[in-house]
Amino acid sequence: MTSAPNAAPAAPSLAQANPTWVNSFAQLGPDFYTELQPTPLPSPYWVGRSRALARELGLEDAWLESDAMLAVLSGNQTLPGSRPLASVYSGHQFGVWAGQLGDGRAILLGELETASGAQEIQLKGAGRTPYSRMGDGRAVLRSSIREFLCSEAMHGLGIPTTRALCVTGSDAPVRREEIETAAVVTRTAPSFVRFGHFEHFSYSGQHVQLKALADYVIDQFYPVCREAKQPYAALLQAVSERTALLMAAWQAVGFCHGVMNTDNMSILGLTMDYGPFQFLDAFDPGHICNHSDNQGRYAYNKQPNIAYWNLFCLGQALLPLIEEQDQALAALESYKTVFPDALQARMRAKLGLADVQAEDKELIDSIFRLLASNKVDYTIFWRRLCAFTPQSGHEPLRDLFFDRESFNAWALQYSERIAHVDIGLWTDLMLKNNPKFVLRNHLGEEAIQAAKLKDFSGVNTLLKLLQAPFEEHPGHDSFAGFPPDWAASIEISCSS
Ligand code: AMP
Ligand code: MG
């Protein structure tokens, strides 16, 4: 039988669709996880799909169209060759040792062989595990859409992150502050190993397993550390440096994570575990995005120091392998130079400055002070700055400030700094470093409200914009505007 011209590609059967699984984490052995199957969800449906990621993973387009994959990615069927498991870890939560945690609702299907190396595929919200404690093992539609969109948005912004392949939903009820419905996010990353995995084996005295884990991470992801005199100190230093780069990226784009517990810190320096995160609207250095964070431990301006605190915990966890405390402390030192240097580099790029001059630091510090004292919308300021010229009157920018004189003084200083730069190069650099679109809370909220009524067009539109956030996307300016007044009343906490 021949198919009609232009017919949609035939959906692959499970066997045809099955890529190659490597399951290297599973080879660490049963001390690291519990093998189990996801718990099925009734009548799943597609909510959002990242075809860009599917392509990167080498999956055929038909993969994300088929009912067979809908069943697999909702936890209702298992692909042959995958070994689903939930891993055990521990962690410090809000500065306090929380003991054993673990994948309470995430199930690792295994690692797929892809052109860019093996990628773990994880279903978040796929049911209870031995580490669920009091939780139900589920994730709700609202938080799953937020995680899906933000993962792909961060990638679009060039910020290291775990990725999200899709969200599937089900009408199965899930009890939170009110009754919501269940969803599963399919996440991918080279590894979902957290600082908390190391803390777990260190503080429970399982030092053989601690070493096996460190060796696994070095061999898979930090092979150059193996050549160092002290490979485990070298690992700590490498993780510190990647984390420093990540913090610089977050601060520069105005991203608040909200729950920087050590169990949410990636050993690969990726943004992970999207919960009550927020991109800043008005620039407020002390902004707290997590409604449950009463003390402001994870406020925007605290993030770089908290990352260092978390690295210190990782260093302590690695001490049984490093032996000399001084070596561990030395390994952490580079954070203190890598972070500020990386932040300056990111901010210079936002200002369009391709070279380094002594006065740049003051130019950057003074604009941060002005943005804060005038509560200027962070993303809009930087995007409007892309159209700045020393000759223009800078009205659209000046309008963002009530203290116009201070802005004028800064604009003069900036005009002098860019007087001799190549304007073409400068504009290009600005437009590549100042996104037009970020996932503001109210944008996510509007897409979520529509999705609850089974209209997923808002999720799709946001995905398209956020995957290419530096482009103009004519006709979509309303997604790049100021937040509405009601945005300030959105409350997002850990419960999701
Ligand atoms: P989080 O605050 O999302 O990073 O989660 C902290 C810990 O609680 C992790 O061990 C999660 O797996 C677990 N957890 C969070 N929500 C649930 C849930 N609904 N069911 C089971 N475990 C959960
Ligand atoms: Mg977590």
Side-chain angles (χ1 to χ4, degrees):
M1 203 174 80
T2 53
S3 57
N6 304 325
S13 70
L14 264 191
Q16 278 172 320
N18 199 23
T20 311
W21 295 93
V22 274
N23 304 328
S24 73
F25 186 84
Q27 281 156 29
L28 280 170
D31 292 339
F32 293 83
Y33 54 79
T34 303
E35 295 199 57
L36 79 177
Q37 293 295 323
T39 309
L41 268 180
S43 311
Y45 44 84
W46 297 108
V47 173
R49 285 169 270 191
S50 172
R51 289 184 173 77
L53 175 56
R55 251 169 263 134
E56 282 176 47
L57 295 173
L59 304 173
E60 288 172 25
D61 282 356
W63 225 75
L64 285 182
E65 306 295 337
S66 73
D67 289 345
M69 282 308 133
L70 175 61
V72 169
L73 300 175
S74 306
N76 295 357
Q77 278 191 54
T78 310
L79 284 169
S82 93
R83 271 178 73 179
L85 61 84
S87 76
V88 61
Y89 54 81
S90 295
H92 281 86
Q93 298 188 318
F94 290 89
V96 177
W97 176 242
Q100 184 189 300
L101 304 163
D103 294 324
R105 54 177 170 166
I107 296 187
L108 175 67
L109 297 184
E111 296 124 66
L112 275 190
E113 193 75 66
T114 81
S116 54
Q119 298 289 327
E120 290 190 355
I121 311 286
Q122 205 185 62
L123 303 184
K124 181 170 176 180
R128 287 183 57 84
T129 77
Y131 317 110
S132 300
R133 297 176 296 157
M134 306 299 282
D136 56 11
R138 291 300 182 194
V140 296
L141 181 65
R142 153 180 67 89
S143 64
S144 303
I145 289 174
R146 280 171 54 85
E147 171 141 19
F148 171 67
L149 289 176
C150 201
S151 305
E152 293 307 278
M154 292 296 258
H155 180 72
L157 290 164
I159 299 176
T161 179
T162 64
R163 302 287 302 273
L165 183 62
C166 62
V167 180
T168 63
S170 163
D171 291 342
V174 176
R175 183 180 294 276
R176 291 293 179 265
E177 273 145 41
E178 49 193 55
I179 301 288
E180 303 189 43
T181 59
V184 174
V185 195
T186 301
R187 314 195 282 192
T188 78
S191 172
F192 283 90
V193 168
R194 303 144 191 272
F195 291 9
H197 279 95
F198 289 87
E199 293 181 287
H200 178 74
F201 294 104
S202 186
Y203 298 141
S204 59
Q206 302 179 72
H207 294 172
V208 173
Q209 291 84 342
L210 176 69
K211 182 171 180 305
L213 180 66
D215 287 337
Y216 169 77
V217 169
I218 289 173
D219 292 343
Q220 297 276 329
F221 309 109
Y222 293 95
V224 290
C225 294
R226 185 61 69 201
E227 267 115 66
K229 238 187 11 241
Q230 222 314 337
Y232 307 109
L235 173 64
L236 180 59
Q237 177 165 344
V239 176
S240 301
E241 289 172 7
R242 281 210 204 171
T243 307
L245 297 178
L246 182 67
M247 289 308 115
W250 284 6
Q251 298 308 106
V253 81
F255 176 79
C256 310
H257 180 281
V259 205
M260 288 177 68
N261 294 332
T262 56
D263 52 299
N264 290 338
M265 295 293 292
S266 154
I267 202 70
L268 301 184
L270 308 172
T271 314
M272 82 182 317
D273 278 15
Y274 292 89
F277 69 83
Q278 189 180 3
F279 286 86
L280 294 176
D281 290 321
F283 186 69
D284 170 11
H287 184 71
I288 304 163
C289 65
N290 181 350
H291 197 64
S292 325
D293 182 7
N294 303 320
Q295 310 290 318
R297 178 178 173 85
Y298 299 136
Y300 167 76
N301 58 1
K302 302 259 183 71
Q303 296 186 127
N305 280 346
I306 287 291
Y308 183 78
W309 192 93
N310 289 341
L311 285 161
F312 196 89
C313 290
L314 177 65
Q316 262 187 324
L318 286 170
L319 272 186
L321 306 180
I322 297 178
E323 290 155 15
E324 298 278 334
Q325 195 166 339
D326 286 353
Q327 282 179 328
L329 286 172
L332 293 171
E333 268 311 285
S334 55
Y335 184 89
K336 297 177 188 165
T337 48
V338 174
F339 167 70
D341 289 353
L343 181 60
Q344 289 293 306
R346 288 240 175 210
M347 296 315 297
R348 269 199 310 275
K350 287 176 83 66
L351 287 164
L353 307 175
D355 63 331
V356 185
Q357 289 195 14
E359 71 258 34
D360 294 347
K361 186 165 183 315
E362 173 50 24
L363 196 63
I364 293 166
D365 289 350
S366 58
I367 195 58
F368 271 133
R369 280 196 300 272
L370 269 184
L371 292 174
S373 59
N374 287 263
K375 299 187 169 49
V376 175
D377 188 278
Y378 191 69
T379 306
I380 291 178
F381 168 78
W382 289 105
R383 190 69 182 185
R384 285 194 187 174
L385 191 68
C386 302
F388 182 97
T389 64
Q391 296 75 28
S392 72
H394 342 296
E395 260 75 37
L397 263 182
R398 197 191 348 260
D399 286 349
L400 298 171
F401 295 80
F402 50 79
D403 178 1
R404 287 165 184 241
E405 267 175 39
S406 299
F407 171 75
N408 286 342
W410 183 84
L412 189 64
Q413 206 189 342
Y414 183 50
S415 297
E416 285 165 9
R417 174 66 176 87
I418 62 174
H420 304 294
V421 303
D422 175 330
I423 285 295
L425 211 66
W426 169 71
T427 309
D428 194 48
L429 193 59
M430 300 275 284
L431 288 170
K432 281 188 188 141
N433 285 280
N434 295 306
K436 180 168 176 180
F437 301 95
V438 293
L439 180 56
R440 294 179 191 258
N441 265 352
H442 75 277
L443 297 174
E445 195 59 30
E446 283 168 343
I448 288 164
Q449 293 310 330
K452 283 184 174 173
L453 303 172
K454 303 257 168 44
D455 170 2
F456 307 121
S457 58
V459 173
N460 286 325
T461 304
L462 274 181
L463 179 65
K464 189 180 73 184
L465 301 175
L466 296 169
Q467 284 181 327
F470 300 104
E471 286 170 22
E472 281 298 325
H473 298 282
H476 291 87
D477 283 359
S478 62
F479 292 84
F482 291 99
D485 289 344
W486 61 264
S489 61
I490 300 172
E491 288 179 0
I492 298 176
S493 64
C494 288
S495 115
S496 60

